[in-house]
Amino acid sequence: MPEGEQLKFEEALQKLEGIVRALEGEGLTLEDSLAYYQEGIRLVRLCRQRLQEVEGKLQALLVQEGEVVLKEISLPGGEGYGA
Amino acid sequence: MSGQRVLAVRELTAYLQRLIGNDGRLANVWVKGEISNLRRPVSGHLYFTLKDQVAALRCVMFQGRSRSLSLRLQDGLEVIARGQVAIYPRDGVYQLYVAEIFPAGVGMASLALQELAARLEREGLFAAERKRPLPLLPRRVGLVTSPSGAALRDMVTVSRRRFPGIDLVLAPATVQGDTAPLELARALELLGKLGGVDVIIIGRGGGSAEDLSAFNTEIVARAIYACPVPVIAAVGHETDLTLADRVADRRAPTPSAAAELAVPVKTELEERLNILAARTRRGLEHRLQMARARLERLVKSRGMARPQQELYYRQQYLDGLEQRLLASWQRHSGAREQALQLLTARLEAASPLAILSRGYAVCRRPGGGPPIRRSLEVAPGERVEVVLSQGRLQCQVEHVDGG
């Protein structure tokens, strides 16, 4: 991901809300509002992507021979709880 | 003292005073017992005896200490007193000079805990201003709890229901027993170092006060304080807050509630995004519409319309000129024709030929020349030419009459 995409979800959402308020308000030039719109759409995509990209893994953090490792786990006797 | 010397009472007492005074442990001792024989003389000092089934201990609490005592002392009350053991020479008794007194129900562990809590509070571990906000959408949620406990199952269930896609990382730790504090602290530290973990829940299911003791340890409190990401404490219990609860950025009554704090509801976020996306689109459309309307207004305005109008005006003027030109031409040419006919008529009327046709003749010298108007212009014998309406006469003058 490019540097800009590292934006945290809530930061992106806050920026998006600011853009929407600006677009809905008065006093933007047409060029500005186009630029705002493009940025807004970019942020919407970014947020949607952030909502989709997580995988829903359930992992355990274990120390094995001094190394920290992540291991997929499922809950014992679980029914629909696993990853 | 090895020699069998006879001592004065005061000598023995002074010896015992020194002996006891040199014992560090006796300088600050905690003693538990039941109050009896409580006396409150007007001096304000408190005198009582602490006793259990086997032994009794005389106690005094001086007025300076007892004045600030919040606990209501009475016979039969089980208490824990802290103070210094010393000899009272006049009565030949040792007694406890009480500095502090607590109800025994609190227990030693609680007293130590109170001291620890006060210390951590002074250090600012519980300060409201250091509480960090929880992320709206964590990439990963760290769980510090027992891998076999109900707490883990509850947290996973709630997380999956709210946002199936969120990664959960369990850092397993036993939550009670001697090794629990160290394991909990270590698990927090590992999760903090892992990266990508945006919020951590540390907790366990409900338990008795003793079961929760690991969450009341300094090492766990400090591990939460040092954790680089926000920590939610979920140490399910109903009585006092544990130190973990007080240090944590948020606390939840149960592990399920903690998961609800940590994990957003996916559909709600999606809905919020959809609304924002729609508003973004509408915002631009609205702006474009406004811009278009403004342009229209400008185009229709007098200022913009004038050049066009001017053009029309000029065209109209030209058209007018053209028509006038045509009309005047027609008028002019018609008049000329009329004039010409008139002239022609007048010309014809004035024509000598017309006069000749009425029977007049023109006399002139032969071969042309002007008409002869007077008889004296010619002499007898001269030749003249008489022009008639039809043909000419060549004549010779015989006489000249008149003049």
Side-chain angles (χ1 to χ4, degrees):
Chain A
M1 275 192 281
E3 195 63 46
E5 308 295 301
Q6 291 292 359
L7 211 59
K8 276 192 161 54
F9 182 81
E10 56 255 67
E11 292 168 343
L13 208 62
Q14 271 171 15
K15 278 183 82 172
L16 179 56
E17 279 164 343
I19 280 169
V20 169
R21 273 196 301 276
L23 270 174
E24 287 174 345
E26 302 297 323
L28 272 189
T29 66
L30 193 60
E31 286 77 7
D32 280 351
S33 54
L34 267 171
Y36 271 68
Y37 174 73
Q38 279 164 351
E39 175 67 3
I41 291 305
R42 193 185 73 82
L43 288 169
V44 168
R45 288 212 188 98
L46 178 67
C47 288
R48 286 223 173 99
Q49 190 190 331
R50 287 282 288 112
L51 285 181
Q52 298 311 326
E53 72 191 0
V54 275
E55 296 165 46
K57 284 184 291 219
L58 175 59
Q59 296 171 307
L61 196 158
L62 305 167
V63 180
Q64 290 179 343
E65 294 161 4
E67 295 281 307
V68 175
V69 292
L70 279 174
K71 219 171 147 181
E72 299 262 337
I73 57 168
S74 56
L75 290 180
E79 170 203 329
Y81 298 121
Chain B
M1 288 289 144
S2 55
Q4 294 296 307
R5 191 165 80 81
V6 176
L7 299 172
V9 173
R10 67 174 178 277
E11 283 180 300
L12 180 61
T13 303
Y15 174 76
L16 287 170
Q17 270 188 306
R18 276 202 303 279
L19 205 60
I20 288 174
N22 286 337
D23 187 314
R25 181 157 162 73
L26 290 179
N28 186 25
V29 67
W30 296 82
V31 188
K32 179 169 149 184
E34 186 187 307
I35 291 178
S36 67
N37 204 20
L38 175 70
R39 285 173 295 128
R40 304 168 183 273
V42 288
S43 65
H45 305 325
L46 287 178
Y47 300 95
F48 55 92
T49 303
L50 277 185
K51 62 172 194 182
D52 52 26
Q53 281 96 336
V54 191
L57 169 68
R58 285 177 63 166
C59 300
V60 57
M61 193 172 197
F62 291 131
Q63 183 248 346
R65 299 279 188 175
S66 64
R67 208 171 34 202
S68 55
L69 193 62
S70 57
L71 179 65
R72 180 82 193 149
L73 296 187
Q74 58 186 42
D75 283 353
L77 184 69
E78 179 123 59
V79 293
I80 291 170
R82 184 181 70 78
Q84 180 187 8
V85 175
I87 299 277
Y88 181 49
R90 209 199 67 133
D91 287 357
V93 295
Y94 69 94
Q95 53 186 14
L96 181 70
Y97 292 84
V98 178
E100 285 180 291
I101 195 159
F102 305 96
V106 171
M108 277 305 289
S110 293
L111 292 177
L113 182 57
Q114 277 180 13
E115 276 186 342
L116 174 59
R119 186 151 53 84
L120 296 182
E121 183 154 33
R122 279 197 299 278
E123 282 185 44
L125 265 71
F126 308 148
E129 56 268 24
R130 79 161 288 273
K131 305 285 184 200
R132 293 162 292 195
L134 304 181
L136 181 60
L137 175 62
R139 282 168 290 179
R140 276 170 169 169
V141 177
L143 308 173
V144 176
T145 192
S146 160
S148 58
L152 176 62
R153 178 167 304 278
D154 290 349
M155 292 190 287
V156 172
T157 306
V158 170
S159 299
R160 288 286 174 265
R161 192 181 65 224
R162 293 169 69 87
F163 200 129
I166 285 194
D167 288 347
L168 303 171
V169 184
L170 168 71
T174 54
V175 293
Q176 64 192 79
D178 292 344
T179 60
L182 206 62
E183 286 186 37
L184 288 167
R186 178 82 181 130
L188 264 177
E189 191 191 345
L190 288 176
L191 272 182
K193 282 184 186 159
L194 180 63
V197 176
D198 292 325
V199 62
I200 294 172
I201 303 173
I202 182 170
R204 54 160 299 158
S208 70
E210 288 75 42
D211 290 341
L212 304 174
S213 61
F215 295 90
N216 268 322
T217 54
E218 183 167 0
I219 183 173
V220 170
R222 290 202 183 279
I224 293 174
Y225 185 71
C227 189
V229 301
V231 176
I232 304 172
V235 193
H237 60 103
E238 280 141 29
T239 54
D240 294 336
L241 297 185
T242 62
L243 293 183
D245 286 315
R246 296 178 65 184
V247 183
D249 298 279
R250 292 285 288 275
R251 68 168 293 269
T254 62
S256 299
E260 289 186 359
L261 284 178
V263 178
V265 176
K266 185 180 187 185
T267 51
E268 283 174 8
L269 286 182
E270 284 172 337
E271 180 57 21
R272 198 164 149 195
L273 256 184
N274 288 343
I275 288 171
L276 281 174
R279 280 173 64 187
T280 307
R281 245 192 336 272
R282 273 204 306 275
L284 182 74
E285 277 164 12
H286 172 68
R287 195 146 288 283
L288 280 173
Q289 215 172 346
M290 292 215 319
R292 239 181 258 127
R294 197 166 154 206
L295 189 61
E296 288 291 306
R297 273 201 307 279
L298 281 176
V299 166
K300 284 180 184 157
S301 71
R302 276 171 50 85
M304 276 302 282
R306 189 164 293 146
Q308 185 87 31
Q309 200 94 31
E310 288 295 311
L311 189 63
Y312 292 158
Y313 285 159
R314 267 150 224 261
Q315 284 176 343
Q316 203 175 353
Y317 181 63
L318 265 179
D319 289 347
L321 278 181
E322 189 184 14
Q323 275 188 345
R324 280 164 63 193
L325 186 64
L326 254 159
S328 76
W329 167 251
Q330 280 168 354
R331 204 166 51 244
H332 277 267
S333 61
R336 297 258 154 124
E337 210 160 319
Q338 224 174 355
L340 191 63
Q341 280 173 2
L342 206 63
L343 278 176
T344 311
R346 280 168 65 192
L347 196 60
E348 278 172 5
S351 166
L353 290 177
I355 297 167
L356 294 181
S357 66
R358 293 206 299 271
Y360 297 91
V362 175
C363 179
R364 58 180 185 181
R365 293 182 198 281
I372 296 160
R373 297 165 191 270
R374 292 160 61 188
S375 56
L376 291 180
E377 282 179 41
V378 290
E382 258 185 284
R383 298 189 70 89
V384 292
E385 189 180 59
V386 175
V387 180
L388 302 175
S389 174
Q390 308 263 322
R392 275 168 288 195
L393 302 174
Q394 306 298 329
C395 308
Q396 191 158 25
V397 177
E398 287 179 5
H399 291 283
V400 174
D401 293 332

